[in-house]
Amino acid sequence: MVDEVIRADGLTKVFNKSLVAVDHISFSVKRGEIFGFLGPNGAGKTTTIKMLTTVLRPTEGRAFVMGYDIVKQASSVRKVIGVVPQEYTADEDLTGYENIMLCAALYGIPRDVARKRALELFDLVELTRFKDKRVETYSGGMRRRLELACGLINRPKIFFLDEPTLGLDVQTRVAIWDYIRRLKDEYDITIFMTTHYMEEADALCDRIAIIDYGKIVALDSPSNLKNTLGGDIITLAIKENIDVTEIIRSVENVKDVKYDGRVYRIKAESGEITAPLIIEALRRKGYTVTKLFLSKPTLDEVYLEYTGRSMRDTEESMESFIRHRITMRRARAR
Amino acid sequence: MSTLEESSPSLVRGLLALTARELKKWLKDPVMLVMFILQPLIWMGFLGKSININALFSQHNISVPDLIPIPGSYLVPPLQGIVYVNGTLLQQFFSNVGSEVMRSTFGVADYFSYMAIGMISMIIVMTSTFSGVSIVWDRRLGFLDKVLSTPVPRTAIIFSKILNAILRAMFQSTVILMLAYILGLQLSPSFTLINILGVYAAISLVSIGLSSIFLAFSIRSTRMERPMQFISLITMPLMFASNTFFPINLMPGWLQIVVRANPLTYLTDAIRQLTIMQPNPLALAVDFIYLTAFAAILATVGIILSWKYLTE
Ligand SMILES: Nc1ncnc2c1ncn2[C@@H]1O[C@H](COP(=O)(O)OP(=O)(O)OP(=O)(O)O)[C@@H](O)[C@H]1O
Ligand SMILES: [Mg+2]
């Protein structure tokens, strides 16, 4: 059996001869893992998924999915993958059941087999009660769950999820993560997903590739990536107008301290334990902490670390803006 | 590995599933359905009934005195005095001229019937072009990409748009024909239900041609605006430069050339012959040959271009 279920070699996509959406990326995904692409709007996540799922043809480079060449053996690739696109593609006017049976037909799954699987999947994503209701009446979370079920109707070996929780509220997002984990365990699949939420990558992924301007700038497990950031960030201010950098530095677990004349920016491991120690150390020397703010590493900081600049406010193209709007609107439906 | 073998994507299964999706969507959208029926109905009702060409000549419209005095000198210059013409006879004469003119120019006795069939052609053009252009929506909503990531044959996607166009066009024409019949369309005595099959054949040919070429035209766009503008740009001239509203032989020569190249002319003529006229076998054969050629050429070009795009 292949242990490397996806391999990309210098995969590149250039739009309109000038826009390099994906720029010579190489990576491999191991069997059974959840592999995440993390990056801001326009980074090239969707474009990568579209190439791997044979919807777009790469401009350059090669990739293999379950050992099949995505260009030369596209039809073999299509049989072994399941895809949940960024957009909500289920038909509003049809029922959940009709939608999933449509997916089954596209894979040529015999009707009786499809029916059995559909019921099983509805059960798994807890939509059984709603399967004969029109999708129009579904909430954003229910729609995502339906999409997940549709994507699994052909029992894929690899499941591609493009921003599976885009536009959902935090609670629903956490619930969707749960479903994704459950589906993965139930069906023993490898998952390739994209997201621009750090927490999501953190919660779900075994390994993350950070992608920016079409390039992979870092690739590792979430904890390793965060560790390279040097841990959490504690921001504090004291009443006295004296530089206490050295005192702070002497506290255990503090990695780095920067003082800009007003506040101290402290990099520290396990911030929630280190922060009280810092306060205590300062108090013992007679200083009073007036403000303290603890932040966990965010996408911004990972970015800052790997790209040398803050996560840019990408200017979305009109097209992707509209797509996002449609997706968001449907996510927030009901 | 048994899962691999059991799923064998077939063209027919995919085609039927995709077509069923579109038809279900369509049937579940009553507003669109009503609009598509209402529009030709309004045209038929207002235009078909208001342009009452017979009435121009008919006795009820012209009030003529029983005896019309005409100075004799008007008729033959040296003649003196007044000549009386019998008004009733004159009226009858004009009325007959009216029917004759209608018959010889339009081929039927009333304009409403003539116009109603024209409306069927119009609706076929609308439905078929829309069906092709609807791929833009599929693309926009991400549905097309999702379908493309499945192993369903690409031809199933293309043919589903065409089949959808044919089925809708048939359904709508049937409804309009029935409505027109209720509103007073006069079927020719030679009309039988078998003629309907001929009508469906003509409709299918035009639907195939138009939907596939419009599919190819819009499959690359991500916006609806461009194809829609194109549709509105061509449908009006296509309708007016045809025999939809008016017979060809009353048009200026240059226009006749355009009209005779217009497939709508042949479609409308074929349907008229099969429904409200005494069919002329030769003319009917010409209609069908032209429509077949039209469908074959446009479908070939349209399908090849679309297929190329879908498989890149
Ligand atoms: N079909 C296309 N034609 C031209 N440019 C495109 C096309 N699709 C994507 N792009 C451009 O390629 C770049 C990468 O887009 P992509 O959709 O892959 O980004 P993404 O990482 O998925 O971002 P998002 O968070 O917006 O989904 C963007 O600049 C986008 O505008
Ligand atoms: Mg994307």
Side-chain angles (χ1 to χ4, degrees), chain B residues 141-179:
Chain B
L141 298 178
F143 181 76
L144 181 61
D145 279 352
K146 181 163 116 176
V147 174
L148 286 175
S149 75
T150 72
V152 75
R154 275 45 192 154
T155 40
I157 303 170
I158 298 169
F159 288 142
S160 77
K161 289 288 174 201
I162 298 173
L163 184 58
N164 181 45
I166 296 175
L167 293 175
R168 281 194 203 185
M170 281 185 185
F171 175 77
Q172 285 172 334
S173 324
T174 311
V175 172
I176 292 163
L177 199 59
M178 289 194 304
L179 285 174

Side-chain angles (χ1 to χ4, degrees), chain A residues 45-47 86 162-163 194 324:
Chain A
K45 305 182 295 292
T46 300
T47 308
Q86 186 170 330
D162 197 358
E163 308 221 19
T194 71
H324 271 140

Side-chain angles (χ1 to χ4, degrees), chain B residues 98-169:
Chain B
S99 294
E100 246 349 277
V101 167
M102 203 52 219
R103 245 182 214 301
S104 66
T105 54
F106 288 89
V108 286
D110 70 312
Y111 184 68
F112 176 73
S113 302
Y114 185 87
M115 159 83 186
I117 302 298
M119 280 304 96
I120 293 182
S121 297
M122 180 184 95
I123 205 69
I124 292 165
V125 171
M126 301 265 217
T127 297
S128 308
T129 49
F130 272 123
S131 181
V133 165
S134 70
I135 191 87
V136 178
W137 276 117
D138 293 343
R139 225 179 107 116
R140 231 171 152 159
L141 298 178
F143 181 76
L144 181 61
D145 279 352
K146 181 163 116 176
V147 174
L148 286 175
S149 75
T150 72
V152 75
R154 275 45 192 154
T155 40
I157 303 170
I158 298 169
F159 288 142
S160 77
K161 289 288 174 201
I162 298 173
L163 184 58
N164 181 45
I166 296 175
L167 293 175
R168 281 194 203 185

Side-chain angles (χ1 to χ4, degrees), chain B residues 24-93:
Chain B
K24 272 186 207 160
K25 272 170 77 74
W26 185 56
L27 291 173
K28 284 182 182 177
D29 189 355
V31 178
M32 273 307 269
L33 206 60
V34 168
M35 287 296 285
F36 259 111
I37 304 285
L38 214 55
Q39 191 183 23
L41 201 63
I42 291 169
W43 280 72
M44 272 194 309
F46 287 110
L47 209 56
K49 292 284 187 191
S50 69
I51 305 187
N52 192 344
I53 292 176
N54 306 39
L56 288 179
F57 302 99
S58 95
Q59 22 204 337
H60 317 291
N61 258 17
I62 314 162
S63 68
V64 187
D66 282 351
L67 288 177
I68 303 163
I70 297 168
S73 55
Y74 282 22
L75 300 170
V76 191
L79 195 71
Q80 297 293 306
I82 307 281
V83 175
Y84 288 92
V85 174
N86 185 328
T88 323
L89 276 181
L90 188 75
Q91 213 173 4
Q92 212 120 56
F93 170 72

Side-chain angles (χ1 to χ4, degrees), chain A residues 6 48-49 52-53 65 77 81-85 158-162 190-193:
Chain A
I6 300 176
T48 306
I49 283 211
L52 293 175
T53 57
V65 171
V77 171
I81 60 171
V83 185
V84 177
I158 306 177
F159 203 19
F160 288 91
L161 305 173
D162 197 358
T190 305
I191 295 179
F192 181 101
M193 60 174 286

